[in-house]
Every structure is written in structure tokens, then in C-alpha cells.
Amino acid sequence: MKQGIKWAIGLSLLLIVAMVSLGPSKPYSTEQLKTLTTDRVTNASMDHLMAEDIARTTSLLIASLTGQMEKWGDVDVETLTADIAEELNEHPYIKGIAIRDKDNRIIDGLGTLQTVSSEDISFSNQYDGILYSNPYQVNGENHLFVGKKLDNQHQLIGDVDLRFIQSYLADFAAIADSNGTFFVSGSHPNVQFSAMNELPDQAETVSVPGLNWNIVVQSEPKKLDQKVYKHQVVAKLHSSTNIQEWAAKHQYEVISWNRPFIVIGKEGVHEDELVNALRQDNAVLYAEPNFAFANQAVISQAKVEPNDEFFKSYQWNLEQIQVEDGWNVANGADVTIAIIDSGVDSNHIDLKDKLTNGYNAITDTEDYADGNGHGTHVAGIAAAITNNVEGIAGVSWQSNIMPIKVLDDNGEGSSYAVARGIYWAVDNGADVINMSLGDYYHSDVLYDAIEYAYEKDVVLIGASGNENTGDLMYPAAYPQVITVASVNEDQNRSFFSNYGDHVDVAAPGEHIPSTYVDDQYVMLSGTSMASPHVAGLAALLRSVNPSLTNEEVGNLILGNAKQLGDGEFNVYYGYGEIDVNKTLQHLINE
């Protein structure tokens, strides 16, 4: 495995973007990279990336309407009504579409614009032939008018509900309109501004083209202390131990139990004291704190070009890894990718028809609903339904998605829950497991689960982390796991991407569009986004040859990556950026 082998994990940044280019047009040299890796990432750099992602997602939100408006510009006015009705049905955040004549009368409208007075519709900005109003409020909710000239007599107008922007806005972010007035803010006091002239020097700002909005992010300094669940310990017991009798004898509270592992607590006893006591117990094979995990906030023929709405305009990431040519070889059919994460939105139009049974490792139930959005985004990158007109294309478009919820709605979970989720995925037929989460401490219970999965021939993939550090993040750094770093559109290492000898390959991880909760799409950045690109490639390989071992899959991915940086292998890119077509061609030509 790993051509000498070693493989890792990532946090995603719930972030969002103006079209800003980061870095030079060719990969950095080793000397340049050394200057970028002297410290962990700064608050300012991460805040700027978050502001960019928010701005790009905002543009993505508006693009489906304005793109359709451009197409309608060449359509006879009388034929638009049916198209308008279909657009409203497909995009729930578009609340109304209408035609206004030269006398400012609404002559044909659907949705909210049937009741809006034409005199109330005014535009303050214009960009690429599209008119934009400033945000306005309806019953306390923010809306936006968008307009397009149809002919000398008519204007097309859309009404966009901006509540979705509020739903994905980070706690430390705020948005000001073209007048400099803030109309939506996150919950943290750091961003409770009323006007742009109030901004402190340390706030990071990115503008949104056309709208002339300013995205402002000012987070708090990141604390890197190790986190554990207070008064909780994970232990592995000898198989002969009667757990109920053992717990009662020592007056332990059994918090969760998944033989041979158990999570226990004891009133008034600190977790460190409890670990020390358990390690002296002959019934206990090992004991450790319940570590807190977080998501890591992706034969020459004519290209297969799917018709998904955002594919050509926004999914630069798939073109960069040569996925279209690769789709001539494989589409991922009959392979299951387990997403060990915050769950998956089971109603999303780009995911719902390919979900298998799932599991909630936190509550030991089947409820894998995603209240965070991270897992839904990761799942879409790996295997969104493709060529269905809607949304995005997934790397392995015919693969099944197995949703495993191990992180709560805040994107946080425990080492025990992650291990429990891995066991369930393996026992229920997962062929590939993606883990876009992690922590910097080794966990025995987690490593047991990784070993179990690897011995069952499951391909394990994770992301390297987002702290610009060479520290090992687990479970990614375990040798059985393929470790994925992040690169940007210039094929340069993302400034936040962790590095080291444990990194195996790189994949796109900045400004990646994908599925999100409530049937929406956003752009996120992080090694969390890089990792599912590799999971998708692993699924494509196994769909071509199901008999490939996990070690063979790993060696194919690493051995056919596009070399970046200096040397065949380096600590920033591993063996290079994945190349889907080259890897699949190598397999079928063997």
C-alpha cells in the first residue's frame, strides 16, 4: 500500500467568494513552499478564505437565475410563462419572476411578484447586463430584485429570498450592501456592525462582483489545545468480561457500549484519574480519554460532458483532475462510498436516489440527518447524481453513498463515535470510506477500527488537516489511510494544507461547489473537500475491477498522480495531484 505506504484527514472550513486568484500560475518550488510553512495558518488568512467562499457561494446562488435570464433574453415574451413556472419549482429560493413593460406595469408574473407593486422595484447596480437592487425586507426577511432587459418594451424581474445566505453564514461573518449598510450578520459580537466605516483593522473583506456587497469576516484566535469529553473514558475490555457486573462493581456509569468497547464515566472523577485507574484493571486491555473530533470546515476519446447546471461554469476542480476523460472508462457503478461525517441530507435532489441505509453512531440509531451541512457537501463531491441537469457532477457519479453520522450539528464528535461509525460501515458493505475529520492525538479505539476496516479490504481515505503544520492528524496519519492534501486552481498547495511525510496525494480543496442542506449548493474550502475527490477515484477504480485490493487501489492512485513540486515525492503534495483519467487508463491497460 502507498508505494511504501502511508495515508490522512481534513477539517472543512465552512466558508464562502469573489473571483480572487491565490498564488502564482505554476506550482511553488520547494524553496517557495518553505517560506509558507514556518507557522500555522493565521486568523487573517483563514478569515479571508472564508470571506471568499461566502462571496462565491452568493454568486452561485444568484447565477442559476441570472443564467436563465440570459437564455430568456432571446425568447419571445409570450412563450416565457411555462419556463418561469419550471424555474420557480426547481429553485425554492427564487420566490417570483415577472415581466414588466415600458410603462412599469407587471403584465405577467408568478410567485411573489404577482403582488409586488412595480413602483417598489428599483435597481442600484448593473453587471454583465444584469440589474441588481439593494436588499429589501419583506416581513423581516431579506430579499433581492434581479432584472434583465428582454427587448425595448419589456424587462424580466426575479425576486430572490436571501434567507439561505443567512443559513450558511458563519458566526464570524457579515454582509454589507452596496451602500455600506450591513443587512445580515453572524451571531458573534465581533461582526455586529451597522456600517462599513465601523470595521476594525483586523477584519477581512471581500467584495461580490455585480452585487457590490462586501463580505466581512473577523474570527477569534484559534485555540489549539487538545479537547476531550469531560468525565468520559473509552476502554476496551477482555471478551470474557461481564460488562454489567464489572461496571456495577466499580460504580461506573455506562455511557455507551459497542462490544468490546465501552464509554464510561464516574461521578466526581476526572477523566485522567479514571484512565489511570482503568489501566491498572486486569479486565481492561486499554483506556483513553474520549477525544473530541471536528470536521476539517475534494484511450483518448471525446470528453463526457454532463449537463449539470454548475458543471461547466463552476466545477474547475473536476477538469483539473481529468475526470471527464476518465468517465469514458468508468462511472462508479455498484460501489458504495461511506461518508463518515455529520450525516447527509436525505432529501437533496442530487443525493437522495443513491443513498443506502445509514447510521448515527452518536445515538445508535438510523437517523443520519445532517444538521451541519459538512457531510452533505463531502458526499456531493464524491458521488452526487450526475447528468441530471440539476446542480453539480460527482467524481464517481454512479456510486452509492452510505451516510454515517459521527459529528453533531456543530461539526463535533468523539473518537469513540468515529470508531463506531467505521465498524458499522465495514459491516454493512462499504467499499470505500471517506473521513474528512480528525484530531492531533492517537486513539487506540480509533486505530482498532482502522485496522479492522483495512483487514476487511476497505479503502480508507482522509484529509491532512487545515493548520499549515507538519503535525500528524488522526485517523489520517495512520499508515492504512490515504492522506490527502489540498491544492488550488493553480495547482499550488493551499496555504492551510497540512504537510509531512505522511501526505500521499493532493486534490482540489479551495472554493469547491457541492451539495448542501435544504437542497442547496455552496462553495467550501479545506482538506475536507480534497479528500472525497480521492474517495471518488477509488470508487471508479473498484467499479472497473472489483477484485482490486485496497493496497492495489492505493498504489494505482499514488503511482499515476501528476507530480507537483520537486522530486517524485515531497511533503507538500505526496506523489502529486490525482489524475483520474491516467489512473483508470493504467488500470485497463495493465
Side-chain angles (χ1 to χ4, degrees), residues 60 164 344-345 348-351 370 373-385 390-392 401 512-524:
L60 187 73
F164 175 59
V344 174
D345 182 353
H348 199 292
I349 194 169
D350 247 352
L351 299 172
D370 185 5
H374 184 271
T376 299
H377 198 271
V378 169
I381 296 169
I385 298 172
E390 300 288 343
I392 63 160
I401 297 169
I512 307 299
S514 187
T515 48
Y516 199 65
V517 291
D518 297 327
D519 211 21
Q520 301 293 352
Y521 300 86
V522 303
M523 291 192 188
L524 303 182

Side-chain angles (χ1 to χ4, degrees), residues 488-525:
N488 62 20
E489 293 172 72
D490 294 324
Q491 295 183 304
N492 277 315
R493 183 183 77 94
S494 298
F495 68 87
F496 52 78
S497 187
N498 288 1
Y499 54 90
D501 289 337
H502 59 291
V503 170
D504 297 303
V505 289
E510 288 189 36
H511 314 317
I512 307 299
S514 187
T515 48
Y516 199 65
V517 291
D518 297 327
D519 211 21
Q520 301 293 352
Y521 300 86
V522 303
M523 291 192 188
L524 303 182
S525 297

Side-chain angles (χ1 to χ4, degrees), residues 516-573:
Y516 199 65
V517 291
D518 297 327
D519 211 21
Q520 301 293 352
Y521 300 86
V522 303
M523 291 192 188
L524 303 182
S525 297
T527 50
S528 277
M529 284 60 256
S531 181
H533 287 84
V534 184
L537 173 54
L540 291 173
L541 288 165
R542 282 202 148 168
S543 72
V544 174
N545 184 354
S547 67
L548 288 172
T549 66
N550 50 12
E551 181 174 348
E552 290 170 335
V553 170
N555 287 335
L556 280 165
I557 293 172
L558 274 55
N560 291 283
K562 179 181 179 180
Q563 182 179 330
L564 299 176
D566 299 336
E568 178 186 359
F569 174 91
N570 66 74
V571 297
Y572 306 110
Y573 306 105

